[in-house]
């Protein structure tokens, strides 16, 4: 079949690489705008709503609610090419796929998400397969996180975050709070030492949310190791080496339960293309942070986790990026300048308890950028929990992917 595609010299006016949150939001919006030659290059037959994995790991949502068949979410009138991009030649305007097909395009949207580098931390890949460790960053492992939390009655629980940009930078903390609140409910919190390892000097990049999170960790008695990282792990001994980058010291801690988050970067194949930002080894697609247009190839745009924009890598950011990108792409197709601007908005629904959440919303200025009128979402609240558990998943499947919100 692929040879057939290659032989036919497949061409689409608009080619979108990746049919995840970003790719499908853009494809739907382009369809609403009347575009009728759009293809989405997407290898997976499943589509995941990843934000729910935190709640799956915390025992607050079933795993199956986070997945749907890709076919059921693909917008009508869009061609789905079930293959993976392997290379992009932006001069020739051709994408080569894993199966060897060549797809040419007039306009390209790059949104294949982020790469999880499990092997970058020695022992981490093996650890998450071992009985005492897990990670909500994998669909199949999120239920295991909950099993570990549920069965723990005493000992040391460790929650780690890597350095560098990752998707949903709040996720490594959220699962610790869900776990701590469960242990509090069960009356075993005092018997469990909770260690949270953060690469940052503070709990969060925006002060008002950092202050609130300081209160949350104090409430649960969580030991926070700031400026620190898990630099290796020995799953057989259940020991993790924590390096404090500020003091240069290392310590080895035994854990009875570990929730690990891998370092992340652009996909390797994407890093090797001319679209990657040469000044940044993370390899993200080099786009203007406001227009989302490539800085060197004006017919190329990127959004979501694979873009170089310095916002927090979240679905919330994509909700604001997609309409900007589509408006600018349509302008460029008309021979006009890309004038719509993305503000850097991102948000992080921080679950601080099993029924409480605070909504951290901010933009490139790193100042709070609240979008919900009248209520103060900078403190943990029950109604924000309902937003996370019920409203946002509904919005994702019914409004965001179909390009209506
Ligand atoms: C545990 C966890 C919790 C999170 N919590 C939140 C939250 O509370 N709020 C929030 O806003 N965000 C959250 N996020 C982040 C959010 O899920 C991502 O930011 C978002 O999914 C990024 O969208 P994307 O389209 O860029 O990438 P993805 O949604 O990951 O989609 C990428 C797509 O590209 C496809 N692809 C991969 N390689 C190729 C290739 N070579 N060729 C073609 N296609 C390819 C993939 O199969 C996938 O379908 C969370 C993420 C995780 C893991």
């Amino acid at each position: 079949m692929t040879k057939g595609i290659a032989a036919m010299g497949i061409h689409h006016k608009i080619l979108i690489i990746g049919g995840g949150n970003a790719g499908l939001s853009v494809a739907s919006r382009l369809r609403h705008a009347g575009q009728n030659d759009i293809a989405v290059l997407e290898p997976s037959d499943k589509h995941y709503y990843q934000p729910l994995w935190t709640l799956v790991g915390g025992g607050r949502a079933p795993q199956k609610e986070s997945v749907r068949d890709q076919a059921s979410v693909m917008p009508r009138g869009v061609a789905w090419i079930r293959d993976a991009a392997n290379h992009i030649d932006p001069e020739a305007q051709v994408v080569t796929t894993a199966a060897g097909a060549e797809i040419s395009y007039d306009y390209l949207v790059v949104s294949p998400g982020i790469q999880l580098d499990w092997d970058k931390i020695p022992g981490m890949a093996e650890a998450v397969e071992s009985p005492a460790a897990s990670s909500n960053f994998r669909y199949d492992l999120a239920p295991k996180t909950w099993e570990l939390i549920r069965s723990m009655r005493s000992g040391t629980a460790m929650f780690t975050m890597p350095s560098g940009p990752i998707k949903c930078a709040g996720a490594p903390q959220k699962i610790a709070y869900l776990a701590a609140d469960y242990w509090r409910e069960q009356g075993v919190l005092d018997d469990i030492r909770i260690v949270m390892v953060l690469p940052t000097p503070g709990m969060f990049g925006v002060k008002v949310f950092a202050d609130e999170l300081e209160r949350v960790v104090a409430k649960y008695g969580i030991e926070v190791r700031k400026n620190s990282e898990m630099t290796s792990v020995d799953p057989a001994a259940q020991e993790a080496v924590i390096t404090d980058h500020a003091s240069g010291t290392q310590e080895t801690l035994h854990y009875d339960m570990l929730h690990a988050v891998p370092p992340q970067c652009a996909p390797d194949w994407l890093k090797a293309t001319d679209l990657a930002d040469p000044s940044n080894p993370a390899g993200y697609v080099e786009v203007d942070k406001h227009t989302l247009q490539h800085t060197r190839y004006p017919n190329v745009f990127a959004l979501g986790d694979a873009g170089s924009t310095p916002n927090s890598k979240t679905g919330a950011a994509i909700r604001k990026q997609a309409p900007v990108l589509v408006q600018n792409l349509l302008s460029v197709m008309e021979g006009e300048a890309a004038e719509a601007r993305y503000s850097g908005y991102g948000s992080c629904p921080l679950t601080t308890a099993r029924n409480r959440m605070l909504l951290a919303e901010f933009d490139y200025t790193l100042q709070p950028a609240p979008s919900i009128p009248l209520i103060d979402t900078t403190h943990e609240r029950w109604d924000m929990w309902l937003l996370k558990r019920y409203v946002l998943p509904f919005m994702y499947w019914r409004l965001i992917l179909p390009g209506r919100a």
Side-chain angles (χ1 to χ4, degrees), residues 17-23 41-44 50-51 53-54 70 83-86 111-114 136-137 167-168 171 174 269 303-306 313-316 318 347 349 388:
I17 298 179
N21 184 350
L41 183 59
E42 167 59 62
S44 172
Q50 301 168 40
W53 296 349
T54 295
Q70 185 73 26
D83 199 345
N86 225 1
S111 51
I114 203 163
N136 290 343
F137 278 65
K167 52 182 160 185
C168 195
K174 295 184 220 181
W269 66 268
L303 80 167
D305 294 350
K313 293 187 181 295
T314 55
I318 291 166
S347 86
K388 168 79 183 162

mmCIF file of all heavy atoms in Angstrom, residues 17-23 41-44 50-51 53-54 70 83-86 111-114 136-137 167-168 171 174 269 303-306 313-316 318 347 349 388, ligand 1:
data_model
loop_
_atom_site.group_PDB
_atom_site.id
_atom_site.type_symbol
_atom_site.label_atom_id
_atom_site.label_comp_id
_atom_site.label_asym_id
_atom_site.label_seq_id
_atom_site.Cartn_x
_atom_site.Cartn_y
_atom_site.Cartn_z
ATOM 1 N N ILE A 17 1.416 16.845 10.425
ATOM 2 C CA ILE A 17 2.145 15.697 10.990
ATOM 3 C C ILE A 17 1.729 15.534 12.448
ATOM 4 O O ILE A 17 2.025 16.388 13.294
ATOM 5 C CB ILE A 17 3.671 15.903 10.892
ATOM 6 C CG1 ILE A 17 4.091 16.021 9.420
ATOM 7 C CG2 ILE A 17 4.403 14.742 11.560
ATOM 8 C CD1 ILE A 17 5.597 16.249 9.234
ATOM 9 N N GLY A 18 1.033 14.431 12.740
ATOM 10 C CA GLY A 18 0.583 14.159 14.114
ATOM 11 C C GLY A 18 -0.889 14.480 14.282
ATOM 12 O O GLY A 18 -1.312 15.621 14.107
ATOM 13 N N GLY A 19 -1.658 13.465 14.616
ATOM 14 C CA GLY A 19 -3.101 13.654 14.832
ATOM 15 C C GLY A 19 -3.434 13.559 16.298
ATOM 16 O O GLY A 19 -4.359 12.869 16.712
ATOM 17 N N GLY A 20 -2.647 14.271 17.134
ATOM 18 C CA GLY A 20 -2.934 14.332 18.571
ATOM 19 C C GLY A 20 -3.794 15.548 18.870
ATOM 20 O O GLY A 20 -4.552 16.032 18.000
ATOM 21 N N ASN A 21 -3.661 16.049 20.067
ATOM 22 C CA ASN A 21 -4.433 17.220 20.503
ATOM 23 C C ASN A 21 -4.275 18.376 19.517
ATOM 24 O O ASN A 21 -5.261 18.951 19.034
ATOM 25 C CB ASN A 21 -3.920 17.604 21.895
ATOM 26 C CG ASN A 21 -4.673 18.739 22.539
ATOM 27 O OD1 ASN A 21 -5.490 19.409 21.918
ATOM 28 N ND2 ASN A 21 -4.403 18.962 23.798
ATOM 29 N N ALA A 22 -3.028 18.699 19.173
ATOM 30 C CA ALA A 22 -2.770 19.875 18.337
ATOM 31 C C ALA A 22 -3.191 19.641 16.896
ATOM 32 O O ALA A 22 -3.908 20.458 16.295
ATOM 33 C CB ALA A 22 -1.275 20.220 18.399
ATOM 34 N N GLY A 23 -2.754 18.514 16.326
ATOM 35 C CA GLY A 23 -3.004 18.258 14.909
ATOM 36 C C GLY A 23 -4.490 18.210 14.582
ATOM 37 O O GLY A 23 -4.934 18.796 13.583
ATOM 38 N N LEU A 41 -1.052 12.937 8.954
ATOM 39 C CA LEU A 41 -0.143 11.794 8.990
ATOM 40 C C LEU A 41 -0.050 11.344 10.446
ATOM 41 O O LEU A 41 0.484 12.078 11.293
ATOM 42 C CB LEU A 41 1.225 12.250 8.459
ATOM 43 C CG LEU A 41 2.349 11.227 8.319
ATOM 44 C CD1 LEU A 41 1.967 10.091 7.387
ATOM 45 C CD2 LEU A 41 3.610 11.930 7.784
ATOM 46 N N GLU A 42 -0.589 10.181 10.741
ATOM 47 C CA GLU A 42 -0.687 9.744 12.152
ATOM 48 C C GLU A 42 -0.612 8.223 12.198
ATOM 49 O O GLU A 42 -1.479 7.541 11.649
ATOM 50 C CB GLU A 42 -2.025 10.240 12.737
ATOM 51 C CG GLU A 42 -2.435 9.624 14.066
ATOM 52 C CD GLU A 42 -1.426 9.842 15.192
ATOM 53 O OE1 GLU A 42 -1.176 10.995 15.546
ATOM 54 O OE2 GLU A 42 -0.884 8.831 15.705
ATOM 55 N N PRO A 43 0.417 7.675 12.888
ATOM 56 C CA PRO A 43 0.579 6.218 12.872
ATOM 57 C C PRO A 43 -0.341 5.449 13.828
ATOM 58 O O PRO A 43 -0.595 4.262 13.622
ATOM 59 C CB PRO A 43 2.040 6.033 13.310
ATOM 60 C CG PRO A 43 2.352 7.255 14.120
ATOM 61 C CD PRO A 43 1.528 8.364 13.547
ATOM 62 N N SER A 44 -0.823 6.102 14.870
ATOM 63 C CA SER A 44 -1.501 5.356 15.939
ATOM 64 C C SER A 44 -2.987 5.165 15.632
ATOM 65 O O SER A 44 -3.658 6.075 15.158
ATOM 66 C CB SER A 44 -1.349 6.120 17.264
ATOM 67 O OG SER A 44 -2.137 5.517 18.257
ATOM 68 N N GLN A 50 -4.377 12.624 27.425
ATOM 69 C CA GLN A 50 -3.320 12.377 28.422
ATOM 70 C C GLN A 50 -3.570 13.044 29.786
ATOM 71 O O GLN A 50 -3.154 12.503 30.817
ATOM 72 C CB GLN A 50 -1.966 12.811 27.850
ATOM 73 C CG GLN A 50 -1.594 12.072 26.565
ATOM 74 C CD GLN A 50 -0.413 12.702 25.838
ATOM 75 O OE1 GLN A 50 0.553 13.143 26.443
ATOM 76 N NE2 GLN A 50 -0.487 12.746 24.516
ATOM 77 N N PRO A 51 -4.202 14.235 29.827
ATOM 78 C CA PRO A 51 -4.420 14.848 31.151
ATOM 79 C C PRO A 51 -5.164 13.949 32.140
ATOM 80 O O PRO A 51 -5.009 14.099 33.352
ATOM 81 C CB PRO A 51 -5.226 16.108 30.816
ATOM 82 C CG PRO A 51 -4.757 16.484 29.442
ATOM 83 C CD PRO A 51 -4.572 15.162 28.740
ATOM 84 N N TRP A 53 -4.557 10.886 32.660
ATOM 85 C CA TRP A 53 -3.668 9.859 33.229
ATOM 86 C C TRP A 53 -3.275 10.192 34.672
ATOM 87 O O TRP A 53 -3.027 9.289 35.469
ATOM 88 C CB TRP A 53 -2.413 9.685 32.365
ATOM 89 C CG TRP A 53 -2.728 9.161 30.991
ATOM 90 C CD1 TRP A 53 -3.935 8.653 30.561
ATOM 91 C CD2 TRP A 53 -1.861 9.099 29.852
ATOM 92 N NE1 TRP A 53 -3.856 8.295 29.232
ATOM 93 C CE2 TRP A 53 -2.596 8.555 28.772
ATOM 94 C CE3 TRP A 53 -0.530 9.442 29.640
ATOM 95 C CZ2 TRP A 53 -2.039 8.359 27.504
ATOM 96 C CZ3 TRP A 53 0.034 9.245 28.381
ATOM 97 C CH2 TRP A 53 -0.717 8.698 27.328
ATOM 98 N N THR A 54 -3.228 11.492 35.003
ATOM 99 C CA THR A 54 -2.942 11.863 36.395
ATOM 100 C C THR A 54 -4.040 11.313 37.307
ATOM 101 O O THR A 54 -3.758 10.768 38.389
ATOM 102 C CB THR A 54 -2.880 13.398 36.534
ATOM 103 O OG1 THR A 54 -1.767 13.870 35.766
ATOM 104 C CG2 THR A 54 -2.716 13.835 37.984
ATOM 105 N N GLN A 70 -8.682 6.268 17.049
ATOM 106 C CA GLN A 70 -8.291 7.441 16.265
ATOM 107 C C GLN A 70 -9.335 7.717 15.173
ATOM 108 O O GLN A 70 -9.665 8.869 14.888
ATOM 109 C CB GLN A 70 -6.904 7.196 15.640
ATOM 110 C CG GLN A 70 -6.313 8.383 14.895
ATOM 111 C CD GLN A 70 -5.824 9.517 15.802
ATOM 112 O OE1 GLN A 70 -5.477 9.301 16.952
ATOM 113 N NE2 GLN A 70 -5.823 10.728 15.282
ATOM 114 N N ASP A 83 0.667 6.389 8.900
ATOM 115 C CA ASP A 83 2.105 6.173 8.755
ATOM 116 C C ASP A 83 2.772 7.245 9.628
ATOM 117 O O ASP A 83 2.103 8.170 10.101
ATOM 118 C CB ASP A 83 2.464 6.356 7.265
ATOM 119 C CG ASP A 83 3.797 5.715 6.890
ATOM 120 O OD1 ASP A 83 4.571 5.386 7.805
ATOM 121 O OD2 ASP A 83 4.055 5.579 5.683
ATOM 122 N N ALA A 84 4.067 7.115 9.830
ATOM 123 C CA ALA A 84 4.789 8.083 10.673
ATOM 124 C C ALA A 84 5.775 8.883 9.833
ATOM 125 O O ALA A 84 6.418 8.326 8.935
ATOM 126 C CB ALA A 84 5.544 7.340 11.777
ATOM 127 N N ALA A 85 5.904 10.153 10.123
ATOM 128 C CA ALA A 85 6.914 10.968 9.442
ATOM 129 C C ALA A 85 8.304 10.515 9.902
ATOM 130 O O ALA A 85 8.512 10.206 11.077
ATOM 131 C CB ALA A 85 6.718 12.436 9.770
ATOM 132 N N ASN A 86 9.214 10.485 8.968
ATOM 133 C CA ASN A 86 10.587 10.072 9.267
ATOM 134 C C ASN A 86 11.573 11.184 8.968
ATOM 135 O O ASN A 86 12.644 11.259 9.541
ATOM 136 C CB ASN A 86 10.940 8.867 8.382
ATOM 137 C CG ASN A 86 11.618 7.796 9.168
ATOM 138 O OD1 ASN A 86 11.808 7.956 10.369
ATOM 139 N ND2 ASN A 86 12.000 6.720 8.505
ATOM 140 N N SER A 111 3.159 18.757 14.266
ATOM 141 C CA SER A 111 2.650 18.577 15.641
ATOM 142 C C SER A 111 2.716 17.112 16.070
ATOM 143 O O SER A 111 1.708 16.530 16.463
ATOM 144 C CB SER A 111 1.201 19.085 15.735
ATOM 145 O OG SER A 111 0.401 18.510 14.708
ATOM 146 N N PRO A 112 3.914 16.524 16.035
ATOM 147 C CA PRO A 112 4.028 15.111 16.435
ATOM 148 C C PRO A 112 4.269 14.901 17.939
ATOM 149 O O PRO A 112 4.625 13.799 18.349
ATOM 150 C CB PRO A 112 5.236 14.632 15.628
ATOM 151 C CG PRO A 112 6.108 15.849 15.551
ATOM 152 C CD PRO A 112 5.205 17.041 15.531
ATOM 153 N N GLY A 113 4.109 15.944 18.732
ATOM 154 C CA GLY A 113 4.265 15.776 20.186
ATOM 155 C C GLY A 113 5.721 15.723 20.612
ATOM 156 O O GLY A 113 6.638 16.098 19.865
ATOM 157 N N ILE A 114 5.933 15.244 21.813
ATOM 158 C CA ILE A 114 7.256 15.275 22.439
ATOM 159 C C ILE A 114 7.769 13.840 22.614
ATOM 160 O O ILE A 114 6.982 12.891 22.648
ATOM 161 C CB ILE A 114 7.140 16.021 23.797
ATOM 162 C CG1 ILE A 114 8.466 16.598 24.263
ATOM 163 C CG2 ILE A 114 6.526 15.128 24.859
ATOM 164 C CD1 ILE A 114 8.290 17.667 25.348
ATOM 165 N N ASN A 136 2.924 8.021 35.372
ATOM 166 C CA ASN A 136 1.677 8.402 34.702
ATOM 167 C C ASN A 136 1.928 8.901 33.289
ATOM 168 O O ASN A 136 0.974 9.208 32.577
ATOM 169 C CB ASN A 136 0.963 9.512 35.489
ATOM 170 C CG ASN A 136 0.407 8.998 36.792
ATOM 171 O OD1 ASN A 136 0.270 7.795 36.985
ATOM 172 N ND2 ASN A 136 0.086 9.915 37.692
ATOM 173 N N PHE A 137 3.188 9.002 32.889
ATOM 174 C CA PHE A 137 3.480 9.467 31.534
ATOM 175 C C PHE A 137 3.327 8.347 30.503
ATOM 176 O O PHE A 137 3.590 8.556 29.324
ATOM 177 C CB PHE A 137 4.859 10.140 31.463
ATOM 178 C CG PHE A 137 4.775 11.567 31.930
ATOM 179 C CD1 PHE A 137 4.448 11.872 33.238
ATOM 180 C CD2 PHE A 137 4.973 12.619 31.046
ATOM 181 C CE1 PHE A 137 4.318 13.189 33.662
ATOM 182 C CE2 PHE A 137 4.849 13.939 31.455
ATOM 183 C CZ PHE A 137 4.514 14.232 32.770
ATOM 184 N N LYS A 167 6.083 17.937 29.000
ATOM 185 C CA LYS A 167 4.665 18.243 28.870
ATOM 186 C C LYS A 167 4.034 18.221 30.260
ATOM 187 O O LYS A 167 4.391 17.396 31.097
ATOM 188 C CB LYS A 167 3.955 17.295 27.917
ATOM 189 C CG LYS A 167 4.121 15.819 28.155
ATOM 190 C CD LYS A 167 3.377 15.052 27.059
ATOM 191 C CE LYS A 167 3.830 13.636 26.906
ATOM 192 N NZ LYS A 167 3.194 12.961 25.773
ATOM 193 N N CYS A 168 3.155 19.148 30.489
ATOM 194 C CA CYS A 168 2.482 19.316 31.779
ATOM 195 C C CYS A 168 3.460 19.251 32.957
ATOM 196 O O CYS A 168 3.537 18.250 33.673
ATOM 197 C CB CYS A 168 1.368 18.315 31.998
ATOM 198 S SG CYS A 168 0.313 18.856 33.363
ATOM 199 N N ALA A 171 2.386 17.836 36.289
ATOM 200 C CA ALA A 171 2.001 16.427 36.485
ATOM 201 C C ALA A 171 2.875 15.690 37.508
ATOM 202 O O ALA A 171 2.355 14.888 38.296
ATOM 203 C CB ALA A 171 1.988 15.698 35.145
ATOM 204 N N LYS A 174 1.340 16.764 40.846
ATOM 205 C CA LYS A 174 -0.087 16.468 41.079
ATOM 206 C C LYS A 174 -0.289 15.072 41.660
ATOM 207 O O LYS A 174 -1.096 14.877 42.553
ATOM 208 C CB LYS A 174 -0.863 16.545 39.764
ATOM 209 C CG LYS A 174 -0.932 17.904 39.135
ATOM 210 C CD LYS A 174 -1.833 17.820 37.892
ATOM 211 C CE LYS A 174 -1.319 18.610 36.740
ATOM 212 N NZ LYS A 174 -2.188 18.541 35.556
ATOM 213 N N TRP A 269 13.956 12.169 15.018
ATOM 214 C CA TRP A 269 13.905 12.372 13.561
ATOM 215 C C TRP A 269 13.653 13.847 13.233
ATOM 216 O O TRP A 269 14.155 14.356 12.240
ATOM 217 C CB TRP A 269 12.826 11.475 12.920
ATOM 218 C CG TRP A 269 11.423 11.835 13.335
ATOM 219 C CD1 TRP A 269 10.714 11.310 14.375
ATOM 220 C CD2 TRP A 269 10.584 12.823 12.727
ATOM 221 N NE1 TRP A 269 9.482 11.913 14.461
ATOM 222 C CE2 TRP A 269 9.366 12.846 13.456
ATOM 223 C CE3 TRP A 269 10.707 13.702 11.641
ATOM 224 C CZ2 TRP A 269 8.307 13.695 13.144
ATOM 225 C CZ3 TRP A 269 9.657 14.553 11.331
ATOM 226 C CH2 TRP A 269 8.472 14.545 12.075
ATOM 227 N N LEU A 303 2.845 23.742 16.311
ATOM 228 C CA LEU A 303 2.211 24.063 17.596
ATOM 229 C C LEU A 303 2.269 22.823 18.484
ATOM 230 O O LEU A 303 2.687 21.751 18.063
ATOM 231 C CB LEU A 303 0.769 24.534 17.396
ATOM 232 C CG LEU A 303 -0.333 23.488 17.180
ATOM 233 C CD1 LEU A 303 -1.700 24.141 17.336
ATOM 234 C CD2 LEU A 303 -0.208 22.775 15.864
ATOM 235 N N GLY A 304 1.827 22.996 19.707
ATOM 236 C CA GLY A 304 1.817 21.875 20.639
ATOM 237 C C GLY A 304 3.208 21.592 21.184
ATOM 238 O O GLY A 304 4.113 22.424 21.118
ATOM 239 N N ASP A 305 3.370 20.371 21.687
ATOM 240 C CA ASP A 305 4.593 20.017 22.417
ATOM 241 C C ASP A 305 5.848 20.067 21.543
ATOM 242 O O ASP A 305 6.954 20.197 22.068
ATOM 243 C CB ASP A 305 4.457 18.611 23.006
ATOM 244 C CG ASP A 305 3.390 18.548 24.085
ATOM 245 O OD1 ASP A 305 2.893 19.611 24.501
ATOM 246 O OD2 ASP A 305 3.045 17.420 24.503
ATOM 247 N N ALA A 306 5.707 19.940 20.214
ATOM 248 C CA ALA A 306 6.880 19.890 19.340
ATOM 249 C C ALA A 306 7.361 21.269 18.905
ATOM 250 O O ALA A 306 8.406 21.380 18.269
ATOM 251 C CB ALA A 306 6.577 19.039 18.102
ATOM 252 N N LYS A 313 4.119 23.412 28.081
ATOM 253 C CA LYS A 313 3.650 22.474 27.054
ATOM 254 C C LYS A 313 2.416 21.753 27.575
ATOM 255 O O LYS A 313 2.524 20.768 28.305
ATOM 256 C CB LYS A 313 4.765 21.491 26.695
ATOM 257 C CG LYS A 313 5.948 22.185 25.996
ATOM 258 C CD LYS A 313 6.960 21.183 25.497
ATOM 259 C CE LYS A 313 8.141 21.859 24.823
ATOM 260 N NZ LYS A 313 7.824 22.586 23.591
ATOM 261 N N THR A 314 1.263 22.274 27.194
ATOM 262 C CA THR A 314 0.000 21.730 27.691
ATOM 263 C C THR A 314 -1.062 21.763 26.594
ATOM 264 O O THR A 314 -0.952 22.525 25.627
ATOM 265 C CB THR A 314 -0.549 22.582 28.853
ATOM 266 O OG1 THR A 314 -0.643 23.954 28.395
ATOM 267 C CG2 THR A 314 0.317 22.519 30.080
ATOM 268 N N GLY A 315 -2.106 20.970 26.816
ATOM 269 C CA GLY A 315 -3.266 21.045 25.931
ATOM 270 C C GLY A 315 -3.914 22.418 26.040
ATOM 271 O O GLY A 315 -4.472 22.938 25.060
ATOM 272 N N ALA A 316 -3.846 22.996 27.219
ATOM 273 C CA ALA A 316 -4.444 24.325 27.436
ATOM 274 C C ALA A 316 -3.792 25.350 26.511
ATOM 275 O O ALA A 316 -4.463 26.231 25.957
ATOM 276 C CB ALA A 316 -4.261 24.729 28.888
ATOM 277 N N ILE A 318 -2.448 24.672 23.627
ATOM 278 C CA ILE A 318 -2.873 24.353 22.253
ATOM 279 C C ILE A 318 -4.243 24.967 21.953
ATOM 280 O O ILE A 318 -4.506 25.408 20.835
ATOM 281 C CB ILE A 318 -2.896 22.816 22.066
ATOM 282 C CG1 ILE A 318 -1.459 22.286 22.091
ATOM 283 C CG2 ILE A 318 -3.596 22.431 20.763
ATOM 284 C CD1 ILE A 318 -1.348 20.798 22.253
ATOM 285 N N SER A 347 -2.035 26.703 30.879
ATOM 286 C CA SER A 347 -2.616 26.555 32.212
ATOM 287 C C SER A 347 -2.319 25.170 32.729
ATOM 288 O O SER A 347 -2.066 24.246 31.961
ATOM 289 C CB SER A 347 -4.117 26.857 32.224
ATOM 290 O OG SER A 347 -4.837 25.719 31.888
ATOM 291 N N PRO A 349 -3.941 22.604 35.541
ATOM 292 C CA PRO A 349 -4.886 22.280 36.609
ATOM 293 C C PRO A 349 -4.178 21.437 37.667
ATOM 294 O O PRO A 349 -3.936 20.258 37.450
ATOM 295 C CB PRO A 349 -5.995 21.497 35.897
ATOM 296 C CG PRO A 349 -5.516 21.243 34.509
ATOM 297 C CD PRO A 349 -4.115 21.731 34.385
ATOM 298 N N LYS A 388 -11.728 19.811 36.303
ATOM 299 C CA LYS A 388 -10.682 18.872 35.858
ATOM 300 C C LYS A 388 -11.270 17.486 35.546
ATOM 301 O O LYS A 388 -10.943 16.866 34.540
ATOM 302 C CB LYS A 388 -9.622 18.763 36.963
ATOM 303 C CG LYS A 388 -8.619 17.643 36.814
ATOM 304 C CD LYS A 388 -7.534 17.966 35.840
ATOM 305 C CE LYS A 388 -6.581 16.801 35.642
ATOM 306 N NZ LYS A 388 -5.789 16.936 34.428
HETATM 307 C C1 LIG B 1 0.457 12.637 32.670
HETATM 308 C C2 LIG B 1 0.112 13.853 31.839
HETATM 309 C C3 LIG B 1 -0.727 14.817 32.361
HETATM 310 C C4 LIG B 1 -1.066 15.940 31.630
HETATM 311 N N1 LIG B 1 -1.921 16.847 32.170
HETATM 312 C C5 LIG B 1 -2.295 17.916 31.457
HETATM 313 C C6 LIG B 1 -3.248 18.825 31.987
HETATM 314 O O1 LIG B 1 -3.753 18.656 33.087
HETATM 315 N N2 LIG B 1 -3.603 19.886 31.234
HETATM 316 C C7 LIG B 1 -3.080 20.110 29.986
HETATM 317 O O2 LIG B 1 -3.462 21.083 29.335
HETATM 318 N N3 LIG B 1 -2.156 19.256 29.459
HETATM 319 C C8 LIG B 1 -1.766 18.171 30.159
HETATM 320 N N4 LIG B 1 -0.878 17.280 29.622
HETATM 321 C C9 LIG B 1 -0.159 17.646 28.381
HETATM 322 C C10 LIG B 1 -0.949 17.382 27.104
HETATM 323 O O3 LIG B 1 -1.443 16.072 27.072
HETATM 324 C C11 LIG B 1 -0.033 17.640 25.919
HETATM 325 O O4 LIG B 1 0.550 18.929 26.049
HETATM 326 C C12 LIG B 1 -0.769 17.556 24.598
HETATM 327 O O5 LIG B 1 -1.303 16.270 24.412
HETATM 328 C C13 LIG B 1 0.168 17.897 23.445
HETATM 329 O O6 LIG B 1 -0.503 17.776 22.225
HETATM 330 P P1 LIG B 1 0.309 17.466 20.894
HETATM 331 O O7 LIG B 1 -0.709 17.333 19.819
HETATM 332 O O8 LIG B 1 1.433 18.399 20.745
HETATM 333 O O9 LIG B 1 0.945 16.032 21.184
HETATM 334 P P2 LIG B 1 0.158 14.680 21.421
HETATM 335 O O10 LIG B 1 -1.217 14.941 21.907
HETATM 336 O O11 LIG B 1 1.054 13.828 22.232
HETATM 337 O O12 LIG B 1 -0.004 14.091 19.952
HETATM 338 C C14 LIG B 1 1.089 13.792 19.134
HETATM 339 C C15 LIG B 1 0.582 12.864 18.036
HETATM 340 O O13 LIG B 1 1.598 12.707 17.047
HETATM 341 C C16 LIG B 1 1.677 11.336 16.704
HETATM 342 N N5 LIG B 1 3.045 11.094 16.226
HETATM 343 C C17 LIG B 1 4.137 10.784 16.965
HETATM 344 N N6 LIG B 1 5.192 10.606 16.172
HETATM 345 C C18 LIG B 1 4.764 10.838 14.912
HETATM 346 C C19 LIG B 1 5.405 10.807 13.635
HETATM 347 N N7 LIG B 1 6.703 10.510 13.503
HETATM 348 N N8 LIG B 1 4.659 11.078 12.522
HETATM 349 C C20 LIG B 1 3.343 11.384 12.649
HETATM 350 N N9 LIG B 1 2.691 11.415 13.821
HETATM 351 C C21 LIG B 1 3.406 11.147 14.938
HETATM 352 C C22 LIG B 1 1.332 10.591 17.972
HETATM 353 O O14 LIG B 1 0.890 9.281 17.709
HETATM 354 C C23 LIG B 1 0.236 11.478 18.555
HETATM 355 O O15 LIG B 1 -1.041 11.095 18.109
HETATM 356 C C24 LIG B 1 -0.540 16.111 30.314
HETATM 357 C C25 LIG B 1 0.295 15.130 29.772
HETATM 358 C C26 LIG B 1 0.615 14.008 30.514
HETATM 359 C C27 LIG B 1 1.495 12.933 29.915
#
